[in-house]
Amino acid sequence: YQYDAGFDLSLLDDRFSITADAYYKDTHDMLYQAILPAQTGFNTQYQNLGRVSNKGIEIALTSHNISNRDFSWTTNLTFDLSRNKVLDIGDSEFQLVNISGGTLQEISRVIVGQPIGIGWGYKSCGNYQLDDFIITKKGSDTGKIYPSEAVTSANYNTFNYTLKDGVTTIAGKNIVPGDRKYIDLDGDNEITTNDRTKISDSNPKFAASLGNSFTWKNWDLNIFLNGSFGNKVGNYTGMKVTHMNSAWTNQTTAVLDR
């Protein structure tokens, strides 16, 4: 079902006009790839399970600034605020979203109660610093611990780096200074998949546009600006050129600020 309410208003012999519309739409029986029990012999099946709500307001303002025989100037301004929410996906609370044939695993989730288009991952809290590690010399059995000031770019690879007690670890990863550090949301002192959470929303807080049209005799000029504000989207290229996970991938100078 869907509800709409709006109005049109013109002033000063139609020199100024405004159109406003508010809407709410509940869409159900959407096709959704539901997970099936193992005993069926199939992994998933498309079913009419999805239900999503959309609501928002749209406002358009038109101003005929100048209008005479040879010259006219008209301005159009629009504002759009839209929100969506997942209301139901059957028996599941969420559905994983993978991109690029599985290259990016669980980059998003479709979650009941959340909008479509959220980013899912770890919240960063900086990088591991030298002070987070017990620093010892490679190939030495003396057990001498070195201060962080002893490490330079020239001798960095001559030391072993062991995380100090109490410093959060990352499951399955050998951590070294400069690695990205993440927030331990479940408090077990280890970063695992349980520490993933909502980190972004690709839906804008609002969108707006501004257009100006000019005509002079047989000439016309149109200038149009359009923008969305407050949304956060994933940057796959940015990830590839700053991840520092391969010796064979070029990186930008942004990695120097780690």
Side-chain angles (χ1 to χ4, degrees):
Y1 56 89
Q2 180 174 342
Y3 301 103
D4 287 277
F7 68 87
D8 295 303
L9 178 66
S10 297
L11 301 170
L12 302 177
D13 293 330
D14 292 335
R15 183 174 181 181
F16 297 100
S17 62
I18 182 172
T19 300
D21 180 66
Y23 62 90
Y24 179 86
K25 184 176 182 180
D26 188 314
T27 305
H28 56 87
D29 291 335
M30 300 175 65
L31 276 176
Y32 171 74
Q33 196 171 22
I35 299 176
L36 299 179
Q39 59 266 31
T40 64
F42 298 91
N43 295 323
T44 60
Q45 179 188 53
Y46 282 101
Q47 300 178 5
N48 294 98
L49 295 175
R51 183 183 173 196
V52 176
S53 69
N54 288 273
K55 60 182 179 180
I57 59 173
E58 297 175 346
I59 301 173
L61 174 66
T62 301
S63 172
H64 299 284
N65 306 312
I66 299 175
S67 181
N68 56 43
R69 181 177 178 179
D70 293 328
F71 180 75
S72 67
W73 170 26
T74 301
T75 298
N76 296 285
L77 177 66
T78 66
F79 174 84
D80 172 64
L81 187 152
S82 180
R83 300 288 184 267
N84 76 79
K85 181 188 292 186
V86 179
L87 302 178
D88 188 18
I89 50 175
D91 295 331
S92 302
E93 293 185 359
F94 66 87
Q95 172 68 33
L96 305 181
V97 177
N98 301 321
I99 295 181
S100 217
T103 301
L104 298 178
Q105 294 287 336
E106 202 173 339
I107 193 172
S108 179
R109 282 187 177 186
V110 178
I111 305 175
V112 175
Q114 293 286 345
I116 295 175
I118 65 170
W120 191 260
Y122 302 98
K123 286 189 174 182
S124 174
C125 58
N127 300 85
Y128 286 94
Q129 304 298 314
L130 287 170
D131 290 337
D132 293 324
F133 296 85
I134 297 173
I135 304 171
T136 57
K137 203 74 167 177
K138 287 183 178 179
S140 174
D141 57 1
T142 63
K144 180 181 178 179
I145 297 175
Y146 291 80
S148 59
E149 293 80 8
V151 180
T152 66
S153 58
N155 64 15
Y156 174 85
N157 290 323
T158 65
F159 292 101
N160 292 313
Y161 303 94
T162 305
L163 280 177
K164 294 178 180 178
D165 290 340
V167 178
T168 302
T169 64
I170 300 177
K173 182 175 177 60
N174 180 31
I175 303 170
V176 295
D179 283 344
R180 185 74 68 188
K181 184 183 289 187
Y182 301 100
I183 297 176
D184 179 26
L185 295 178
D186 62 5
D188 64 354
N189 208 41
E190 183 180 36
I191 301 300
T192 65
T193 54
N194 294 329
D195 294 301
R196 290 181 175 180
T197 187
K198 176 184 174 182
I199 57 175
S200 65
D201 188 347
S202 62
N203 299 285
K205 292 182 178 179
F206 67 92
S209 69
L210 174 64
N212 282 281
S213 299
F214 305 90
T215 61
W216 179 67
K217 294 185 178 181
N218 293 326
W219 298 82
D220 63 82
L221 172 66
N222 294 286
I223 301 174
F224 182 75
L225 301 174
N226 182 58
S228 61
F229 305 86
N231 50 326
K232 296 180 179 180
V233 297
N235 185 346
Y236 180 73
T237 300
M239 182 198 73
K240 293 293 289 185
V241 297
T242 58
H243 60 50
M244 294 292 289
N245 288 336
S246 171
W248 308 105
T249 303
N250 290 332
Q251 304 291 280
T252 68
T253 55
V255 301
L256 299 176
D257 296 327
R258 297 194 337 162

